[in-house]
Amino acid sequence: PTGSGKTLAYLFPVLQKIDPEKKDTQAVILASSRELVMQIHEEMQVWSAGSGISSATLIGGANIKRQLDKLKKHPRIIIGTPGRVHELIKKKKLKMHEVKTLVLDEGDQLLAPEHKGTLEDIIKSTLADRQLLLFSATLPKVSELEAQRLMNDPEIVRVGTEAEKPDVDHGYLITDARKKVDTLKRLTVIEAFKGLVFVRDIGNLNVLAEKLRFKGLSVGVIHGDSKKEDRVKTLKAFREEKLALLLATDVAARGLDIPSLKYVINYDLPDETRQYVHRAGRTGRVGSQVDGNVISLVTRDDIKKIVKISKELNIDITEKQMY
């Protein structure tokens, strides 16, 4: 389940395999979003402290000159997004000949068609005796087959979900499409409300943000086109409870870890059931002291869809009332 420690499941073994005496990059961890890269890096810094094992992040949209300076310091571990890692390999700035471990975090996203070519090139740049690992909270059949194609005789490890289940309440509110904005605003009146709101795409997200700001709410946004500095600032403000709502698209919110997050709001229902799992996994995270709530804003036409999600995931999603 999300929040149960996937990152540490590969970080510990990766760190144990690194030879600090060797000045080459020995492990590369690829992640689907900037936020996830930064989060992995934060964990890496905690667990590698005092070991002499250095790491560096390589993300698109960031200053490439600064990244080249980082590479000159011979980081033993690289954590990055596929585009930028690929670019630096092609420029011959990132040498992959000593890489023994390649990790794909949130692997189902990295195996999406738009990343496929880039990913294959990165894998080809490593020597044949390296280990290729893929981690994900959900693994659709198509991603599994794609992963097997890239690997030699892979082993599939499915971790059972009998791990401590987070305490999350799932519900939905029925509302007219044109009243959704008001329904969302009413939710923010709940005491100590802080919500991560999922919106279908960037266009809808920007329109919604404008409407909510016009109604006097403090709103932050993160999506695939947000600048790195803006995303960092927005997440910091949200974590410090300076924003009532953080609006996000699915890609931007993969892997986000906000310990005290109490509410996830599906402003738009996800297209796929597995996306519901990833969204819900942002709240009530294992080990956090906060109970989670997932609330979907649905029109009468959406009820079939929410019933289908409930059946497929075998969870109770109950109708809620506001009073």
Side-chain angles (χ1 to χ4, degrees):
T2 51
S4 57
K6 281 195 303 295
T7 310
L8 295 185
Y10 64 74
L11 269 196
F12 287 153
V14 163
L15 283 165
Q16 283 180 305
K17 285 169 79 172
I18 299 293
D19 180 353
E21 302 303 312
K22 262 194 184 168
K23 280 194 163 181
D24 304 285
T25 297
Q26 296 161 52
V28 172
I29 298 165
L30 296 174
S32 55
S33 71
R34 302 169 195 185
E35 281 70 36
L36 192 48
V37 167
M38 298 320 290
Q39 239 163 255
I40 297 165
H41 192 236
E42 277 171 32
E43 287 293 327
M44 177 72 77
Q45 286 176 311
V46 171
W47 297 101
S48 64
S51 67
I53 299 171
S54 55
S55 59
T57 57
L58 301 176
I59 49 183
N63 185 317
I64 199 159
K65 189 180 173 302
R66 211 170 291 155
Q67 293 181 351
L68 292 173
D69 290 341
K70 284 183 196 173
L71 289 175
K72 284 175 190 162
K73 292 178 182 162
H74 307 289
R76 310 306 190 260
I77 300 170
I78 292 290
I79 307 157
T81 48
R84 183 50 60 92
V85 168
H86 185 230
E87 190 182 339
L88 290 166
I89 292 170
K90 278 203 308 196
K91 286 185 190 296
K92 298 198 168 24
K93 299 296 182 190
L94 174 56
K95 311 271 193 301
M96 300 288 278
H97 59 283
E98 285 294 338
V99 170
K100 294 284 181 274
T101 313
L102 188 58
V103 177
L104 312 180
D105 196 348
E106 295 290 8
D108 58 335
Q109 288 244 314
L110 292 173
L111 292 171
E114 62 268 27
H115 294 307
K116 204 168 125 184
T118 307
L119 203 59
E120 285 182 6
D121 282 354
I122 294 172
I123 292 167
K124 278 178 195 153
S125 71
T126 58
L127 297 179
D129 65 344
R130 49 89 194 108
Q131 185 181 23
L132 181 59
L133 302 159
L134 179 144
F135 291 81
S136 180
T138 56
L139 194 60
K141 197 69 195 161
V142 61
S143 303
E144 196 177 302
L145 293 170
E146 191 58 42
Q148 286 179 319
R149 193 179 65 75
L150 297 170
M151 298 176 177
N152 302 322
D153 192 22
E155 190 166 330
I156 299 169
V157 180
R158 296 189 195 282
V159 179
T161 51
E162 59 273 2
E164 179 198 336
K165 277 252 177 78
D167 193 4
V168 177
D169 182 69
H170 298 263
Y172 64 92
L173 288 164
I174 298 174
T175 177
D176 292 340
R178 58 194 165 80
K179 287 189 181 159
K180 271 192 182 185
V181 181
D182 288 323
T183 306
L184 182 56
K185 183 175 188 284
R186 283 169 66 201
L187 282 172
T188 64
V189 180
I190 295 169
E191 197 183 339
F193 183 90
K194 188 169 87 165
L196 175 61
V197 182
F198 283 95
V199 188
R200 187 178 297 116
D201 54 44
I202 295 173
N204 287 7
L205 185 144
N206 289 332
V207 169
L208 178 60
E210 271 179 42
K211 285 180 178 172
L212 291 166
R213 285 178 184 137
F214 181 73
K215 289 178 181 291
L217 288 173
S218 54
V219 177
V221 300
I222 55 165
H223 50 68
D225 293 347
S226 312
K227 286 197 180 83
K228 181 197 164 196
E229 301 75 39
D230 294 343
R231 288 159 87 126
V232 170
K233 243 196 287 191
T234 302
L235 280 170
K236 186 170 183 284
F238 189 60
R239 284 193 174 108
E240 290 171 358
E241 312 206 346
K242 290 174 184 163
L243 300 171
L245 298 170
L246 176 61
L247 311 188
T249 52
D250 282 314
V251 172
R254 266 294 177 109
L256 271 189
D257 194 2
I258 301 160
S260 60
L261 184 66
K262 212 170 171 185
Y263 294 94
V264 163
I265 312 291
N266 290 315
Y267 188 83
D268 296 314
L269 281 179
D271 291 328
E272 296 176 9
T273 302
R274 69 190 172 99
Q275 282 305 125
Y276 186 95
V277 176
H278 284 285
R279 290 177 177 192
R282 302 305 112 217
T283 183
R285 291 177 72 77
V286 177
S288 84
Q289 302 307 304
V290 177
D291 291 346
N293 298 273
V294 180
I295 300 170
S296 301
L297 305 185
V298 303
T299 62
R300 300 251 166 229
D301 295 341
D302 290 328
I303 293 174
K304 268 190 192 150
K305 207 171 175 185
I306 204 88
V307 168
K308 179 174 174 269
I309 291 171
S310 173
K311 268 192 190 144
E312 284 181 12
L313 295 177
N314 194 23
I315 52 174
D316 288 331
I317 307 179
T318 53
E319 187 186 344
K320 304 286 180 190
Q321 304 286 342
M322 255 198 289
Y323 61 91

